[in-house]
Amino acid sequence: MRCPFCGNEDTQVKDSRPTEDRSAIRRRRFCPGCAARFTTFERVQLRELIVLKRSGRRVPFERDKLQRSIDIALRKRPVEPDRVERMVNGLVRRLESLGESEVETDAIGELVMDALSNLDQVAYVRYASVYRNFREAQDFENFLSTLQGDEEKPAPLDD
């Protein structure tokens, strides 16, 4: 493992243990070159996933990219990081267990939206606004009305 601080390729593992949800191995490492300490995580990868973009391009699946998009939707929301980590791990396991080596971006987006709707409604709407490419306020209103259902719409105010 290369040291992220000095680039030395000869680092030492000082401690290894599974993460709380047992989805990865946490390793504390030490670099004898610069005396830095850092942590790495090892995860089991069941299969190499390829993402099929809307443009037709094929790119390797990146767990970190999925994590970043979810983190952006959850920014400043009161959700524990452990719950987010479990959600991301679950999403990756579901994608890997689909039985397909290629996954369309739409399938990933729908899985993320489904998971976010159960985790945090504000993050769900934020993610949906980007994923569904909302262009104006009316797009938000239409989406929110489908969330609330027609029977829960507030009555118009009388002037």
Side-chain angles (χ1 to χ4, degrees):
M1 171 60 61
R2 180 183 303 252
C3 174
F5 302 104
C6 71
N8 183 8
E9 293 196 24
D10 185 30
T11 59
Q12 301 170 355
V13 174
K14 292 298 182 187
D15 180 45
S16 289
R17 66 180 71 171
T19 55
E20 286 184 23
D21 64 355
R22 302 216 179 278
S23 65
I25 301 291
R26 178 183 182 270
R27 299 196 192 280
R28 289 291 299 150
R29 295 181 178 268
F30 172 77
C31 175
C34 68
R37 292 180 181 269
F38 58 99
T39 302
T40 60
F41 292 89
E42 263 181 43
R43 298 187 195 308
V44 173
Q45 184 173 346
L46 299 177
R47 69 178 65 226
E48 194 72 30
L49 290 175
I50 301 295
V51 177
L52 183 58
K53 299 287 210 173
R54 289 179 181 149
S55 67
R57 285 185 347 168
R58 288 171 165 77
V59 296
F61 174 77
E62 295 178 41
R63 183 187 193 285
D64 291 340
K65 187 173 180 181
L66 176 66
Q67 177 80 50
R68 279 193 308 272
S69 68
I70 292 170
D71 287 343
I72 289 168
L74 286 165
R75 186 170 290 148
K76 295 186 180 182
R77 297 298 303 153
V79 178
E80 298 96 32
D82 289 348
R83 290 184 67 199
V84 177
E85 182 69 21
R86 284 193 304 272
M87 183 185 83
V88 171
N89 289 339
L91 288 169
V92 172
R93 277 195 301 275
R94 285 180 67 186
L95 290 170
E96 290 176 338
S97 64
L98 287 175
E100 301 292 325
S101 59
E102 288 187 354
V103 181
E104 293 183 2
T105 55
D106 290 340
I108 296 170
E110 291 299 327
L111 284 174
V112 172
M113 284 184 46
D114 186 43
L116 281 174
S117 71
N118 295 320
L119 187 68
D120 184 271
Q121 288 290 301
V122 171
Y124 172 57
V125 173
R126 286 177 179 171
Y127 188 88
S129 72
V130 174
Y131 173 68
R132 297 221 170 122
N133 202 15
F134 291 0
R135 296 260 186 232
E136 51 194 52
Q138 186 63 43
D139 297 334
F140 281 96
E141 289 178 23
N142 294 340
F143 184 75
L144 291 173
S145 70
T146 61
L147 282 179
Q148 296 169 343
D150 292 338
E151 68 279 357
E152 293 182 24
K153 279 188 182 176
L157 297 175
D158 292 329
D159 287 324

